[in-house]
Amino acid sequence: MHGKLGRGVCAPLFCWVIEKVITEGQIKALVEQKVEGTNIFIVNVKVSGSNAIKVEVDSDDGLSIDKCVEVSRHIEGSLDREKEDFELSVTSPGADQPLKLPRQYIKHIGRDLKVLKADQGKVTGKLIEANEETFIVLETRKERLEGKKKKVTVEEKHEFAYNQIKEAKVVISFK
């Protein structure tokens, strides 16, 4: 039996593969080190069993490709390809992705959200307030009130704890 240099140790009857496993904690620490003192924050870090690393970062005021490249280069420069074979992707969350952190909700105050509630209902409206525990959406809809011929505009505030919803996405508008 023959092993790849640097990847395994082989004896006549047995071959043990020695690989250094990259952990999500290790990657989070590298990202935090790079973004410390900036308005960039970690949304998600995933490391697969095959060392495919996917990092999502965001910023309170928009994230440029250059900032993603800086984070990527920092991670790559801190890992040793001779010891750790890995694939790395650093991106911002896509516009069509659900919000994951309270900080993302705070960032999007004033924008329209589509909220899927845990009980299967949904609410679409303007995100008017958000903090670490809850967020408030102002829903505006037309309703026919008793005794009125025309529909009138009705506004209703909905307050949600983050654990009361399945997901919330920013409604993309091209106006």
Side-chain angles (χ1 to χ4, degrees):
M1 280 190 203
H2 298 285
K4 294 179 183 176
L5 288 177
R7 300 288 302 229
V9 176
C10 293
L13 296 174
F14 302 99
C15 186
W16 298 273
V17 174
I18 300 171
E19 282 189 40
K20 182 160 183 186
V21 177
I22 299 170
T23 66
E24 289 177 3
Q26 180 184 8
I27 300 303
K28 283 181 183 177
L30 289 172
V31 176
E32 286 169 354
Q33 180 183 51
K34 178 63 182 169
V35 302
E36 186 178 356
T38 70
N39 60 5
I40 298 172
F41 56 94
I42 299 170
V43 175
N44 199 21
V45 172
K46 293 243 189 238
V47 179
S48 74
S50 62
N51 281 346
I53 304 165
K54 181 163 174 43
V55 177
E56 286 183 346
V57 291
D58 205 347
S59 170
D60 296 321
D61 56 3
L63 189 67
S64 69
I65 292 172
D66 292 339
K67 293 295 180 189
C68 289
V69 169
E70 286 177 27
V71 171
S72 178
R73 286 186 179 149
H74 179 73
I75 295 168
E76 193 155 351
S78 300
L79 299 175
D80 184 352
R81 284 223 184 252
E82 295 297 320
K83 295 178 183 173
E84 307 149 325
D85 187 25
F86 62 89
E87 175 186 329
L88 176 61
S89 167
V90 177
T91 63
S92 63
D96 62 336
Q97 294 299 306
L99 302 178
K100 295 176 182 151
L101 303 173
R103 193 164 175 180
Q104 290 178 290
Y105 287 80
I106 293 166
K107 170 186 174 178
H108 289 291
I109 290 175
R111 299 197 59 194
D112 287 339
L113 285 188
K114 182 180 200 176
V115 180
L116 297 178
K117 301 188 303 184
D119 67 4
Q120 304 300 323
K122 69 179 175 182
V123 172
T124 301
K126 185 177 293 247
L127 177 62
I128 59 170
E129 191 176 317
N131 58 46
E132 291 297 319
E133 290 82 35
T134 62
F135 65 98
I136 299 173
V137 173
L138 178 63
E139 178 185 28
T140 304
R141 63 183 182 274
K142 297 278 189 177
E143 284 186 4
R144 189 174 314 277
L145 297 179
E146 193 174 318
K148 302 279 186 182
K149 289 186 177 186
K150 291 188 176 186
K151 290 183 178 183
V152 295
T153 301
V154 175
E155 291 184 336
E156 183 179 358
K157 288 182 182 180
H158 300 273
E159 184 171 2
F160 300 99
Y162 296 105
N163 64 0
Q164 291 178 308
I165 65 165
K166 279 188 177 180
E167 70 176 26
K169 291 183 178 182
V170 174
V171 176
I172 300 168
S173 172
F174 296 101
K175 292 180 185 179

